[in-house]
């Protein structure tokens, strides 16, 4: 089984029943279902696995107990291969409607035509936007604990955030680093209690609440961060070798705007319970969408992908264009 999906030498000049944009769990699931509905499908995405590539062990997907994320991606590839669904690595810049057809503009492969589009583009990481962050990115500033934790063996690190990513990251880093500061801007964590309890039990994790990082300092590498207590206004410099910024994700505002997709007040693509967007024949699924109160899990993305595929199938059947 491979980490890369197959392209099956697909003819890109045909009109597809559906083009799925993205290569995360929602996109794979949509592809599996459009495959089972026998829709002529093309998947176009940048990174096979999407955010799963940044995960280590996944233990909250029913039935796959403690599966490694990489193994999960391989299984996803094998599953869509079984239905001969081609996937190509490319970036979709935009799509436009011409009559009953959507013309999907890609960065490398030119324009691709489809009767329906399923948008499953995920979300991008949020930045702290403090002095030093850009300068030291890759030189002590990281946005992915799972990817970079082993680089900080016997070092001192800070993790910023109070969600699942930050808590999961702090736990992982505590296995490598001598000391982990977990810095959160409130006194309540939004992470699942199981993560909070695990981190609190780690003797080398110091939790700093009601605080934020206001500056990242160093020479060639990160050496220090400035931490501000938001209740007292006091600031202090803390010596660290690395800082992991795990403060969530930005919604796909730009992509939505370029493609006239309606968004909710937070910038996520608005969909109904069937994954329908404001555009006819365009569906959306996974983390880029507004549904399910921001509960973004592999299992929810996969469910939304299946629903969007079903909607594309119904849409095409109603128009009898297949
Ligand atoms: P998140 O749930 O949005 O949490 C982001 C955290 O960063 C929050 O605690 C937030 O503080 C804090 N934050 C946001 N902007 C900040 C800023 N400018 N400065 C300082 N702190 C800031 O993001 P996430 O933890 O990356 O998780 C994203 C989604 O993926 C969630 O739905 C999560 O459940 C899911 N996820 C799931 C798993 C899992 O189930 N195993 C693992 C990782 C992620 P406030 O709390 O004050 O808002």
């Amino acid at each position: 089984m491979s980490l890369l999906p197959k392209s099956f030498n697909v003819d890109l000049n045909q009109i597809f029943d559906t083009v799925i944009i993205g290569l995360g769990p929602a996109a794979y699931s949509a592809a599996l279902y459009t495959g089972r509905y026998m829709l002529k499908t093309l998947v176009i995405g940048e990174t096979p696995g999407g955010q799963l590539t940044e995960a280590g062990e996944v233990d909250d997907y029913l039935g796959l107990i403690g599966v490694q994320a990489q193994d999960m991606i391989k299984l996803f590839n094998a599953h869509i291969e079984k239905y001969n669904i081609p996937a190509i690595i490319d970036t979709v810049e935009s799509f436009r409607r011409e009559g009953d057809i959507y013309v999907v503009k890609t960065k490398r492969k030119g324009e691709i035509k489809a009767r329906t589009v399923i948008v499953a583009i995920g979300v991008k990481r949020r930045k702290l936007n403090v002095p030093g962050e850009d300068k030291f990115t890759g030189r002590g500033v990281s946005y992915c604990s799972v990817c970079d934790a082993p680089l900080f063996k016997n070092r001192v690190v800070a993790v910023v955030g109070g969600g699942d990513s930050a808590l999961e990251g702090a736990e992982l880093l505590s296995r490598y680093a001598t000391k982990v500061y977990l810095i959160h801007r409130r006194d309540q964590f939004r992470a699942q209690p199981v993560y909070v309890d695990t981190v609190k039990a780690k003797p080398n994790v110091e939790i700093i609440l009601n605080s934020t990082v206001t500056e990242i300092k160093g020479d060639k590498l990160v050496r220090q961060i400035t931490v501000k207590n938001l209740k007292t206004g006091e600031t202090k410099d803390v010596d660290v070798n690395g800082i992991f910024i795990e403060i969530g994700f930005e919604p796909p505002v730009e992509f939505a705007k370029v493609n006239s997709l309606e968004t909710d007040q937070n910038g996520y693509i608005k969909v109904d319970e069937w994954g329908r967007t404001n555009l006819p024949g365009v569906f959306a699924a996974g983390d880029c969408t507004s549904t399910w109160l921001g509960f973004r899990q592999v299992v929810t993305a996969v469910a939304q992908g299946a629903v969007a595929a079903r909607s594309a199938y119904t849409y095409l059947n109603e128009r009898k264009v297949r």
Side-chain angles (χ1 to χ4, degrees):
M1 285 192 293
S2 165
L3 272 171
L4 279 175
K6 275 194 184 156
S7 72
F8 292 104
N9 291 320
V10 59
D11 169 17
L12 296 178
N13 292 315
Q14 63 184 301
I15 299 178
F16 291 94
D17 288 326
T18 191
V19 158
I20 298 168
I21 309 174
L23 257 173
Y28 276 106
S29 174
L32 170 65
Y33 275 78
T34 57
R36 290 173 62 85
Y37 287 127
M38 300 182 83
L39 303 187
K40 263 187 282 165
T41 302
L42 176 68
V43 186
I44 310 173
E46 295 173 353
T47 313
Q51 268 181 60
L52 257 188
T53 53
E54 298 172 358
E57 184 187 282
V58 177
D59 201 26
D60 50 13
Y61 193 91
L62 185 68
L64 296 182
I65 304 166
V67 66
Q68 288 301 312
Q70 299 231 327
D71 291 335
M72 219 172 172
I73 297 167
K74 288 178 187 168
L75 284 168
F76 290 171
N77 283 322
H79 214 162
I80 66 165
E81 265 172 35
K82 181 179 170 192
Y83 289 90
N84 299 317
I85 300 296
I88 58 169
I89 308 298
D90 205 337
T91 301
V92 170
E93 290 177 335
S94 60
F95 56 83
R96 64 178 188 278
R97 197 169 160 90
E98 284 184 4
D100 284 344
I101 301 291
Y102 280 98
V103 179
V104 179
K105 192 174 166 216
T106 68
K107 206 168 179 176
R108 290 186 286 277
K109 301 274 188 212
E111 294 190 336
I112 293 165
K113 294 189 174 117
R115 295 187 174 91
T116 62
V117 174
I118 297 176
V119 179
I121 55 172
V123 283
K124 296 258 183 291
R125 286 189 173 276
R126 184 176 288 137
K127 294 175 95 175
L128 262 182
N129 292 322
V130 296
E133 184 175 8
D134 287 342
K135 181 176 170 194
F136 291 111
T137 294
R139 291 193 270 156
V141 172
S142 169
Y143 296 87
C144 179
S145 317
V146 175
C147 319
D148 296 338
L151 304 175
F152 291 85
K153 199 168 179 201
N154 299 325
R155 303 289 161 115
V156 178
V157 297
V159 179
V160 186
D164 286 340
S165 301
L167 275 285
E168 217 178 22
E171 192 283 324
L172 178 65
L173 281 156
S174 72
R175 300 189 214 176
Y176 293 95
T178 50
K179 169 108 189 171
V180 179
Y181 294 100
L182 175 62
I183 302 163
H184 179 37
R185 65 184 178 183
R186 290 189 296 136
D187 57 4
Q188 295 287 317
F189 288 106
R190 95 180 30 238
Q192 298 171 52
V194 63
Y195 292 137
V196 178
D197 288 351
T198 309
V199 167
K200 279 185 176 167
K202 294 277 178 176
N204 61 338
V205 178
E206 182 178 333
I207 298 174
I208 304 177
L209 296 174
N210 300 311
S211 298
T212 188
V213 171
T214 54
E215 189 171 356
I216 300 165
K217 298 185 261 195
D219 37 47
K220 282 185 179 159
L221 299 169
V222 167
R223 301 285 176 208
Q224 232 176 24
I225 53 174
T226 305
V227 180
K228 182 177 181 182
N229 184 307
L230 296 170
K231 288 229 155 128
T232 63
E234 270 172 43
T235 61
K236 63 177 177 188
D237 285 340
V238 179
D239 292 342
V240 295
N241 304 105
I243 169 168
F244 287 79
I245 299 166
E246 300 271 14
I247 58 169
F249 297 86
E250 294 288 359
V253 178
E254 202 43 45
F255 188 88
K257 197 172 149 197
V258 167
N259 296 302
S260 307
L261 285 162
E262 242 178 63
T263 54
D264 66 8
Q265 71 276 17
N266 298 317
Y268 292 92
I269 298 168
K270 236 182 183 173
V271 286
D272 66 8
E273 69 270 38
W274 283 103
R276 290 179 289 214
T277 69
N278 58 308
L279 304 176
V282 179
F283 309 90
D287 288 5
C288 63
T289 69
S290 60
T291 52
W292 294 356
L293 306 169
F295 188 50
R296 295 187 166 85
Q297 304 282 305
V298 180
V299 72
T300 55
V302 160
Q304 283 183 273
V307 169
R310 164 81 192 180
S311 297
Y313 173 68
T314 308
Y315 174 90
L316 291 167
N317 273 351
E318 280 169 356
R319 279 154 192 78
K320 297 193 177 10
V321 289
R322 290 182 56 238

